[in-house]
Amino acid sequence: MTNRNTAFDKAMFDIYRRAKDEANYSANIFLQMLTDTDGMTTAKTLINAPKESDGYTALYLRGRLDLTVEAVVTESEKWSLLFTEEEVAKAKKRLLKFQYKPTNWVA
């Protein structure tokens, strides 16, 4: 595992903790996915899923799409470089579908 993947794992665990603390949402399935695999596998699974996850919907209803994998990947060049252009486009498309206003789109 590279240092970047280790840092990405940390970023994924961070959004889990922030969702719990800031949005009062316990993303138990997300946590289980992270624990069973790793941050990269979890993120790619969620981004490439045909529809948004229940956790994504729960965060949308709380007005906290900034705490989704899609937002983390599309708003950080450091993280977006770990994904294919197609995956980044899928993540952006999903966020836009839910009228998410990004703080900083990666080109």
Side-chain angles (χ1 to χ4, degrees):
M1 183 179 293
T2 67
N3 287 339
R4 187 175 291 195
N5 285 351
T6 301
F8 187 74
D9 287 347
K10 181 183 178 313
M12 293 294 95
F13 279 104
D14 285 347
I15 61 169
Y16 163 78
R17 281 189 287 278
R18 288 184 60 209
K20 190 171 184 174
D21 294 344
E22 298 172 22
N24 197 29
Y25 177 65
S26 294
N28 294 324
I29 294 171
F30 180 67
L31 179 61
Q32 189 64 53
M33 290 172 74
L34 290 173
T35 303
D36 288 347
T37 60
D38 58 27
M40 182 65 63
T41 303
T42 298
K44 285 182 174 281
T45 298
L46 293 170
I47 289 169
N48 289 302
K51 69 180 210 65
E52 57 280 347
S53 67
D54 290 344
Y56 183 98
T57 302
L59 290 168
Y60 167 74
L61 293 172
R62 289 165 169 80
R64 293 305 306 265
L65 287 180
D66 61 303
L67 297 174
T68 63
V69 168
E70 290 84 354
V72 170
V73 168
T74 60
E75 293 184 352
S76 168
E77 187 171 2
K78 174 168 68 171
W79 303 139
S80 67
L81 292 173
L82 299 175
F83 296 83
T84 66
E85 286 182 25
E86 181 184 11
E87 288 168 332
V88 173
K90 283 180 184 180
K92 284 181 181 179
K93 183 177 179 182
R94 184 169 289 155
L95 290 165
L96 289 171
K97 175 182 170 187
F98 286 82
Q99 291 82 44
Y100 178 67
K101 304 288 189 271
T103 56
N104 181 34
W105 263 165
V106 174

